[in-house]
């Protein structure tokens, strides 16, 4: 079951549940800290999602621990200097499509201190563990028992402490590993850099890109033209950037799709960049749109601690301490493995 937010993105029972669990545990461990999170408990009542829940008041109170900001996203003046920022399911459309359709999503948690993210966690249940594995869709015969070594990652980073990839569940066969972005002085050059971009959706019967996909959970059609890629780049600027970086003859296919790209939903992109699975990411929303901090805070720590770089489109550092939204001066966000790659991305 899902409801729709004002920005046309869906919210599910999973969003509410994850937010309640995470915030309740954090509040118990850090009672003087503040929280910023996506979901509003009142939406559960409006969506009639409360059937069978015994202690609804306790659930709603846990969810609303994250409501320390005004309706416009500005700071309500009630937060401490330590604020935990949570997107309980970042990439809800990927979550709704599910594992068989390659949906990628993550639980994104960050600690922001005096406007700077200092801890970042991305829990990515559907992401392959190996950097070069692009099998985002589960095979028909794949199960949680058979893929324990090959799928499911947690990216963890702390300011000054590095970034690491851990298995989703304790697993003696899968080692934790320290993460490093693609070397800026290695064999790969900006001309060969891979973008991490939103997922295109294909109608298997028509063998073509489609605008809608049917969600079996909500029993409704999702307009994927309003999904990650179209929302992040409504003016189509990424294609032009790819032509500048890769060359006009090597950048796009006949349908204008970027060739050197890895496609997935959500903040998972930051994790993929941090382990060297891509080099470039750009989020270029419509003019006037203000970014929510939960869409970038956790990922920014992970990639920067892996050696990468995150700035706005003007090359400035990003202030995450203004409330639930970033400054109006942030017209877009760029992330890369740093060095000449970031310089070329800024120039493009």
């Amino acid at each position: 079951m899902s409801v729709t937010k004002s920005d046309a993105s869906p919210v599910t029972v999973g969003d509410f549940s994850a937010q309640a669990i995470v915030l309740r545990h954090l509040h118990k461990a850090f009672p003087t800290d503040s929280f910023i999170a996506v979901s509003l408990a009142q939406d559960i009542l409006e969506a009639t999602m409360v059937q069978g829940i015994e202690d609804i008041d306790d659930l709603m109170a846990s969810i609303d621990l994250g409501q320390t900001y005004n309706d416009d996203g500005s700071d309500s003046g009630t937060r401490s200097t330590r604020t935990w920022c949570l997107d309980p399911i970042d990439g809800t459309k990927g979550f709704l499509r599910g594992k068989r359709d390659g949906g990628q999503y993550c639980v994104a948690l960050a600690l922001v201190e005096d406007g700077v993210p200092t801890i970042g966690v991305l829990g990515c249940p559907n992401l392959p563990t190996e950097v070069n594995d692009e099998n985002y869709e589960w095979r028909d015969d794949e199960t949680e028992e058979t893929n324990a070594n090959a799928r499911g990652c947690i990216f963890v980073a702390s300011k000054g402490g590095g970034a690491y990839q851990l298995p989703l569940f304790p697993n003696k066969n899968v080692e934790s590993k320290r993460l490093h972005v693609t070397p800026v002085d290695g064999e790969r050059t900006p001309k060969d850099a891979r973008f991490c971009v939103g997922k295109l959706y294909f109608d298997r019967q028509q063998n073509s890109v489609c605008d809608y996909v049917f969600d079996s959970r909500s029993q409704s059609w999702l307009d994927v033209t309003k999904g990650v890629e179209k929302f992040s780049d409504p003016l189509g600027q990424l294609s032009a950037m790819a032509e500048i970086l890769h060359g006009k003859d090597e950048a796009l296919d006949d349908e204008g799709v970027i060739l050197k790209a890895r496609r997935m939903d959500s903040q998972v992109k930051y994790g993929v960049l941090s382990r060297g699975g891509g080099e470039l990411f750009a989020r270029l929303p419509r003019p006037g749109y203000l970014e929510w901090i939960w869409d970038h805070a956790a990922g920014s720590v992970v990639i920067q601690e892996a050696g990468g770089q995150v700035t706005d489109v003007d090359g400035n550092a990003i202030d995450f301490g203004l409330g639930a939204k970033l400054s109006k001066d942030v017209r877009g966000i760029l992330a890369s493995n740093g060095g000449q790659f970031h310089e070329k991305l800024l120039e493009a």
Side-chain angles (χ1 to χ4, degrees):
M1 182 181 293
S2 66
V3 295
T4 302
K5 295 189 296 185
S6 59
D7 63 357
S9 60
V11 182
T12 69
V13 174
D15 291 83
F16 293 114
S17 302
Q19 182 164 317
I21 292 169
V22 173
L23 294 190
R24 181 169 184 169
H25 282 282
L26 283 173
H27 182 58
K28 184 176 181 180
F30 306 104
T32 62
D33 288 1
S34 299
F35 307 95
I36 288 177
V38 178
S39 300
L40 181 66
Q42 183 64 32
D43 291 337
I44 299 181
L45 300 178
E46 295 176 0
T48 63
M49 294 181 179
V50 297
Q51 295 91 340
I53 299 177
E54 294 182 1
D55 195 344
I56 184 63
D57 291 336
D58 185 54
L59 173 67
M60 294 180 69
S62 296
I63 292 171
D64 278 346
L65 285 169
Q67 298 301 307
T68 59
Y69 54 93
N70 298 318
D71 291 343
D72 63 356
S74 61
D75 187 358
S76 65
T78 62
R79 294 188 297 112
S80 68
T81 57
R82 279 174 49 101
T83 301
W84 294 90
C85 166
L86 173 70
D87 192 337
I89 298 182
D90 184 75
T92 305
K93 288 187 178 181
F95 173 73
L96 286 170
R97 280 197 318 281
K99 55 194 178 185
R100 301 300 178 192
D101 288 323
Q104 293 296 324
Y105 64 95
C106 67
V107 178
L109 176 68
L111 174 62
V112 179
E113 299 183 81
D114 296 319
V116 178
T118 57
I119 293 176
V121 182
L122 301 173
C124 311
N126 280 346
L127 186 67
T129 57
E130 293 300 320
V131 63
N132 293 319
D133 187 348
E134 296 186 60
N135 294 313
Y136 299 139
E137 296 184 10
W138 284 39
R139 302 184 309 274
D140 291 339
D141 62 347
E142 186 174 341
T143 67
E144 293 179 357
E145 289 72 28
T146 61
N147 72 9
N149 297 338
R151 194 179 297 277
C153 309
I154 301 176
F155 298 97
V156 180
S158 62
K159 188 173 177 60
Y164 297 83
Q165 178 180 310
L166 287 63
L168 190 62
F169 299 105
N171 188 336
K172 64 181 180 181
N173 297 318
V174 180
E175 294 184 354
S176 301
K177 59 185 76 172
R178 183 154 188 171
L179 300 176
H180 301 282
V181 296
T182 301
V184 297
D185 56 355
E187 294 182 0
R188 191 176 293 275
T189 69
K191 186 176 176 60
D192 304 313
R194 297 161 293 179
F195 280 90
C196 279
V197 298
K199 185 175 174 60
L200 291 176
Y201 308 105
F202 289 87
D203 184 322
R204 291 189 177 94
Q205 294 181 337
Q206 300 296 325
N207 194 33
S208 63
V209 177
C210 62
D211 290 339
Y212 293 86
V213 292
F214 186 74
D215 168 41
S216 58
R217 292 180 177 84
S218 64
Q219 292 295 299
S220 62
W221 289 90
L222 297 179
D223 180 357
V224 296
T225 66
K226 295 179 181 177
V228 178
E229 187 163 39
K230 290 296 181 74
F231 184 80
S232 297
D233 181 31
L235 301 180
Q237 298 173 86
L238 272 179
S239 297
M241 294 170 72
E243 288 185 324
I244 293 172
L245 290 165
H246 299 156
K248 282 188 175 293
D249 296 333
E250 301 179 31
L252 311 175
D253 66 11
D254 292 339
E255 295 183 350
V257 175
I258 298 174
L259 292 171
K260 297 173 184 176
R262 304 190 77 168
R263 300 185 176 279
M264 67 208 73
D265 307 281
S266 82
Q267 216 167 149
V268 168
K269 301 179 188 70
Y270 281 106
V272 170
L273 287 175
S274 72
R275 66 185 188 182
E279 291 73 43
L280 307 174
F281 165 72
R283 184 174 170 98
L284 307 167
R286 69 181 186 276
Y289 177 79
L290 301 184
E291 294 277 0
W292 296 98
I293 67 171
W294 52 64
D295 285 328
H296 303 282
S300 69
V301 187
V302 171
I303 189 170
Q304 288 179 99
E305 285 301 313
Q309 191 171 356
V310 179
T311 69
D312 66 14
V313 293
D314 297 310
N316 301 313
I318 298 170
D319 183 356
F320 288 89
L322 303 178
K325 289 193 173 185
L326 299 180
S327 166
K328 61 181 177 56
D329 295 327
V330 177
R331 298 178 295 112
I333 294 178
L334 306 179
S336 74
N337 55 325
Q340 62 173 330
F341 289 77
H342 205 81
E343 293 172 3
K344 293 293 185 182
L345 190 59
L346 283 167
E347 291 173 5

